[in-house]
Structure formats: C-alpha cells, structure tokens
Amino acid sequence: MKFYNTLTRKKEEFKPTGKMARMYTCGPTVYNYAHIGNFRTYLFEDILRRWLKYKGYNVKQVMNLTDVDDKTIRDSQKEGMPLKQFTEKYTNAFFEDIKTLNIEPAEVYPKATEHIKEMVEMIKVLLDKKIAYKTEDGIYFSISKFPEYGELAHIDLAQLQAGASGRVKADEYEKENAADFALWKFWDEKDGDVYWETEIGKGRPGWHIECSAMSAKHLSDAFKTGKFEPDKFMTLDIHTGGVDNIFPHHQDELAQTESCTGKKFVNYWMHSEHLLVEGKKMSKSLGNFYTLRDLIAKGFNPLAVRYLLIATHYRQKLNFTFEAVDAAKTAVQRLNDFMLRLKEAHGAKNKTEVQEAIEKAKLQFEKALDEDLEISPALAAIFDLMNLVNKHLDSHELSKEDAEKVETFMHQADSVLGVLTKEEKLAPELQKLVDEREKARQIKNWSRTDEIRDELKQHGIAVEDTPHGQRWKRILS
Ligand code: AMP
Ligand code: ZN
C-alpha cells in the first residue's frame, strides 16, 4: 500500500510505527456550517480510514474541533453569542452532516478549548529552549531557530529568510509573508470575554499550537501522566488536511512539535486537493460555497453528494457543477438497483465466468486503492463487474449462489465507498400499499395496481413488476 507523502513529494510504502495506524486529521473551525469543499477533505479522510481498516489495520483517528481562533471569536461577537454557545451550534451541525454523508466517526474529537493546559505546557518548553520569545502582544515562535522551517511547504529557505524578518499574529497568512508566528496571543479588548489566565499570561492560543497539543495528547504518551513529557512523544503515522493547510498551519505544527520533542512529528503527510467552483477554490471568504444543507434543500441526495466528492482522486482538483451531482446520482442509483436485482437471481447453474469476474474485480479494486487511493480504476472494476452480471441477469442465467458471491463483494467494496443504501423497511402504511398492490396484481386488477403505483411514487417509492413478483425501491433525488 503506497501513499503520496507531501513531505517527500513521493509515493511511499505505508508502514505504521505500531499495530495501530494513528492519524490526525485537522477538523472544522466551528464558526459556520461546513461547505462541501470542506467535506471533500473529510471524505478523503473517510476513504483513507476505511481503506486502512479494509486492509486489516486498527485505526485511531483524531479529528480536532477548532472552537477558539480568530474566526470563531470574530463571528460569535458579530452574532452577540457567547463563544461556547456559538461554536456548539456549529459543532452539532457538523456531526449531523457527517452522519448524513455516511462519514465514519473518528475515534476522538478533541476541542481546542479543552486543551489549553497542554498548549501552555508546550509553549513553556519552547520558551525554555529559547525557540519562543515574548513580545508585548504575545508569545512567538522564532522560525530562524528551526533550520528545517519550510521543508513541508517546500519554501525556498534562502528566499524566506530574506523576507522573514517580521512577526505575524493572525492565524492565517500567505507563504510570501512567512514569519515568526503567534503561539499565544495576550488578551486585548477585541477578544472580549475570551481568555484564559495562565502561567504564560492572560490570553488565548494561536491556531497552530492547538493541533500540536491535541495530536500529542491523543496520539502519543506525551501527556499520559498529566504533565508534559516531550520524550514520550510518538511520531504520528499520518497527518492529513486540505492542501491549503500545508502552509502555514501544518508547517507551523511541525516546527512546534519537533522543536518541543526533538522527535519527528509525522511520517506520512497527506493532503487533498480543493473543490472548485468555476476554477476558484470553494471557500467561505469568496462566498462561492454550498453547504450540504443547501444541496439537500435543492433536492439532492446526500449519497449522490458523497459519490461526487469521492469519485475523483483526492489529489486532483474537482470542479463542482450541478450536472456532476446529477451524474453521481445516476451512478449511485445504478449501484443500488443492481443490489436489488441480485436478489432475484434464479438461474440454474453456477458459472465460472461470474466467479472469475468477481475475482478480477476484487483484484483491480484492491490494487487501485493500494496505489495512493486511486479511485477511478477501483470504481471501474465495480461497474465492469456490474455490466457483466447484469447481462446474466437479463438472460435469467445468474444462479442464486453466484448472485450471493457478487453481493458479498459489493458489500466489501462498499465498506470503503459507503454509497449503498442500507436495506431498510418501508413505513407500515407504505408497506400496506405495496402488499395491496401485490394482491391486485395477482387478480390482474390493473387499474388498482396503477393507482397504487402513482400513490407510492408520491412518497418517493418506485415499484417495478418482474416475472418473480414486484419490487420496490427508493427514488433517489
Ligand atoms: P476550515 O474549517 O476552514 O479549517 O477547513 C476545514 C478543512 O477543509 C481543512 O482541511 C481545509 O483544508 C479543507 N478545505 C477548505 N476548503 C476546501 C475546498 N474548497 N476543497 C477541499 N477542501 C477544503
Ligand atoms: Zn490542525
């Protein structure tokens, strides 16, 4: 299994440090509803964790919630709401959305505001080592004290040093403005009631130290005894985010953690490319974004949105269009229809051709995902199999046993893709209609069967007549 590592700019064989694959994924800044660009990144992480599990690894994924930073403070004040109440609203919305998108939950969701103590401990070590220094408005990390600074973001160090004379207090800034960055921001009036009284002063953390502290706490033994023991830090296996996280956020996390612990921070850095709208990054600041809720309100099915966002390789840019969501919907509907058809197989004989096709599809699916999560050949393997098996279904030659083998493979593949609907029961009143229609069918009361078909359609249920009875399915929006 190979992954592309942003640090080395190469595909590398994945070898976790222990039995457990430990991965840190930068989570949402909970100041608004996440947009589907954000979800492209969370879905890439979902596919990654599902693939690791498919391959037999135990996974510990930590996804932080940034519930204090420049943006959460700014917007909670705009809404006149206490920070905690404000961020809770969007945290809850985030959990609802990931469930809707069938994203597997991470093992831990630490909140920045609950890790101030750990951040302060790390900053104290950096102060002791004289890598951090105090000014009148905060405590800063001196990038000149970390010679490898720029390595992850591939910034030319010579150029950087020429321009890197200043300091930057804001959480977000551009590569061209690389400079000493804030670890701790002393309180000023603009922060209102958001501050912590700590040994290093009254104030709040910079965004980057939040992730250094939460990853060390939840993915290593560095805080196990309650106090910070830098030498107990354990290199993380994987750290992910969108490409915009590479600089400054991940570069700064790396500089802080490695300076503090003297150990390598992360073995495999993986970053997903952006979701674009008309060639530009989908982002809140540009206002060109859709939330999942916007799309559902427009009548799109969440599984179609999921399919759209996972079906392009994570390191390729993806342009969002409504036509593309429609095409994704068709693909999801075909897959789900196929699962229903498999239930009707009644052919007389098992066929080696089918058996071979399943093996071939499985091999291609696994080989593709092993190659840095190549998704297109993995999906092609499934659709090729489906086309072949559909032919056998058309000619009523697929045996029940073969169908069950296909089904087993489809479920295995779906443990990674997550686009098949769960087998579900109809609401009792709808089931009653379906049963009544079956009776009408048997006595050839066609006007009644048509009537019921229309009624069910209004409830989003399609019924089809097959030689072996009728079957129903949900019509995906
Ligand atoms: P934020 O809440 O702004 O910290 O972003 C959460 C995650 O979404 C980060 O990993 C970002 O890199 C990622 N992200 C933001 N915009 C996009 C986009 N247009 N496409 C893909 N990922 C994005
Ligand atoms: Zn982070």
Side-chain angles (χ1 to χ4, degrees):
M1 178 167 39
K2 282 189 192 148
F3 295 140
Y4 180 86
N5 190 346
T6 310
L7 187 66
T8 58
R9 302 301 203 253
K10 280 206 276 282
K11 275 190 205 166
E12 294 171 1
E13 191 65 33
F14 176 68
K15 290 192 204 83
T17 46
K19 283 196 198 113
M20 176 90 83
R22 291 171 301 118
M23 79 176 190
Y24 189 84
T25 50
C26 284
T29 307
V30 278
Y31 73 116
N32 208 323
Y33 298 106
H35 59 65
I36 55 166
N38 302 131
F39 284 118
R40 182 181 189 202
T41 293
Y42 305 137
L43 278 163
F44 141 65
E45 290 153 354
D46 185 47
I47 297 292
L48 173 60
R49 66 168 278 133
R50 285 166 176 261
W51 185 240
L52 287 165
K53 285 169 73 174
Y54 182 106
K55 297 287 287 187
Y57 292 105
N58 288 319
V59 174
K60 181 169 182 186
Q61 179 190 2
V62 175
M63 178 178 272
N64 70 292
L65 301 166
T66 302
D67 61 350
V68 57
D69 79 323
D70 295 348
K71 293 189 283 195
T72 44
I73 294 176
R74 180 195 67 198
D75 289 2
S76 65
Q77 289 173 348
K78 256 194 225 160
E79 289 221 4
M81 226 191 247
L83 183 68
K84 193 168 157 47
Q85 194 186 340
F86 177 78
T87 55
E88 248 165 31
K89 172 176 160 189
Y90 294 111
T91 301
N92 293 339
F94 173 71
F95 285 128
E96 278 168 27
D97 287 353
I98 56 174
K99 198 159 172 224
T100 309
L101 280 174
N102 199 16
I103 292 177
E104 275 189 4
E107 279 60 34
V108 194
Y109 288 100
K111 290 181 179 165
T113 51
E114 292 170 4
H115 294 77
I116 303 295
K117 185 174 142 282
E118 288 79 4
M119 296 173 208
V120 169
E121 292 285 318
M122 289 183 91
I123 297 169
K124 270 166 49 190
V125 171
L126 292 171
L127 281 167
D128 285 348
K129 289 188 170 180
K130 307 235 174 314
I131 293 166
Y133 60 89
K134 250 185 199 181
T135 70
E136 71 287 354
D137 70 350
I139 300 175
Y140 287 83
F141 183 98
S142 170
I143 59 173
S144 64
K145 298 279 172 62
F146 187 68
E148 299 84 17
Y149 194 84
E151 192 183 24
L152 178 69
H154 285 224
I155 308 176
D156 182 322
L157 208 59
Q159 261 185 13
L160 176 74
Q161 274 162 355
S165 50
R167 274 197 293 276
V168 52
K169 192 178 176 194
D171 287 331
E172 290 180 69
Y173 51 94
E174 300 297 322
K175 257 190 200 175
E176 302 77 61
N177 305 326
D180 293 355
F181 58 89
L183 296 163
W184 189 256
K185 305 179 188 194
F186 293 143
W187 181 83
D188 70 24
E189 277 154 26
K190 286 206 289 304
D191 291 340
D193 61 359
V194 180
Y195 61 83
W196 286 264
E197 294 277 9
T198 73
E199 282 174 68
I200 55 173
K202 171 178 171 176
R204 63 180 172 102
W207 172 35
H208 319 298
I209 195 72
E210 296 182 359
C211 285
S212 284
M214 289 185 271
S215 57
K217 162 111 187 204
H218 295 283
L219 289 170
S220 88
D221 292 340
F223 287 99
K224 209 168 184 182
T225 59
K227 67 176 183 25
F228 184 40
E229 295 174 279
D231 56 322
K232 299 255 176 78
F233 178 77
M234 291 135 73
T235 302
L236 314 187
D237 292 312
I238 302 175
H239 193 318
T240 67
V243 284
D244 57 309
N245 282 156
I246 300 173
F247 190 88
H249 186 48
H250 289 168
Q251 181 61 70
D252 291 352
E253 280 183 38
L254 185 154
Q256 296 161 159
T257 304
E258 296 197 355
S259 301
C260 243
T261 65
K263 294 197 178 169
K264 189 177 182 189
F265 180 31
V266 170
N267 280 334
Y268 303 87
W269 285 95
M270 296 175 73
H271 293 97
S272 58
E273 256 300 346
H274 284 147
L275 182 68
L276 310 179
V277 183
E278 288 165 2
K280 293 210 178 75
K281 177 190 169 195
M282 181 178 283
S283 68
K284 280 170 200 146
S285 55
L286 289 177
N288 60 350
F289 66 91
Y290 294 101
T291 64
L292 180 62
R293 287 141 197 261
D294 294 335
L295 295 186
I296 291 174
K298 282 182 187 293
F300 288 104
N301 186 283
L303 286 182
V305 178
R306 177 178 172 98
Y307 188 93
L308 170 75
L309 296 176
I310 64 171
T312 296
H313 188 240
Y314 76 94
R315 286 195 294 116
Q316 270 173 26
K317 292 184 173 62
L318 167 62
N319 208 31
F320 175 81
T321 60
F322 288 110
E323 292 77 45
V325 197
D326 272 333
K329 181 188 84 180
T330 307
V332 173
Q333 183 88 61
R334 280 184 63 202
L335 290 166
N336 282 289
D337 288 356
F338 178 58
M339 296 306 282
L340 286 175
R341 280 198 86 190
L342 285 174
K343 298 245 177 275
E344 287 156 18
H346 62 284
K349 280 203 306 258
N350 294 348
K351 294 207 166 170
T352 44
E353 194 193 352
V354 173
Q355 188 56 47
E356 280 165 13
I358 298 172
E359 275 158 29
K360 185 172 155 223
K362 188 163 188 230
L363 217 67
Q364 185 180 330
F365 181 80
E366 293 180 353
K367 188 166 164 251
L369 290 170
D370 268 347
E371 191 65 34
D372 192 33
L373 306 177
E374 280 294 351
I375 190 80
S376 304
L379 291 173
I382 291 169
F383 281 94
D384 287 349
L385 175 68
M386 189 166 90
N387 290 339
L388 179 122
V389 174
N390 267 330
K391 280 193 200 126
H392 288 271
L393 280 162
D394 291 343
S395 57
H396 307 285
E397 282 175 78
L398 187 74
S399 72
K400 203 167 163 45
E401 203 177 310
D402 278 349
E404 278 165 6
K405 285 183 186 149
V406 176
E407 222 181 319
T408 303
F409 167 67
M410 292 295 286
H411 282 299
Q412 273 175 346
D414 196 59
S415 70
V416 187
L417 303 174
V419 293
L420 295 182
T421 50
K422 309 268 173 299
E423 277 172 36
E424 45 179 351
K425 284 205 176 118
L426 277 177
E429 64 278 13
L430 296 180
Q431 185 61 51
K432 230 167 105 185
L433 281 174
V434 170
D435 295 343
E436 192 191 331
R437 189 171 179 280
E438 182 57 31
K439 282 191 195 125
R441 249 168 61 90
Q442 280 164 14
I443 56 165
K444 300 194 167 48
N445 180 353
W446 304 127
S447 63
R448 184 65 189 137
T449 58
D450 286 351
E451 232 172 68
I452 299 180
R453 182 203 298 273
D454 291 345
E455 195 173 341
L456 285 165
K457 197 169 169 194
Q458 283 173 11
H459 289 94
I461 303 297
V463 278
E464 285 167 24
D465 295 313
T466 79
H468 312 282
Q470 63 171 359
R471 69 168 183 229
W472 65 268
K473 67 179 189 191
R474 280 194 201 284
I475 308 164
L476 293 188
S477 43

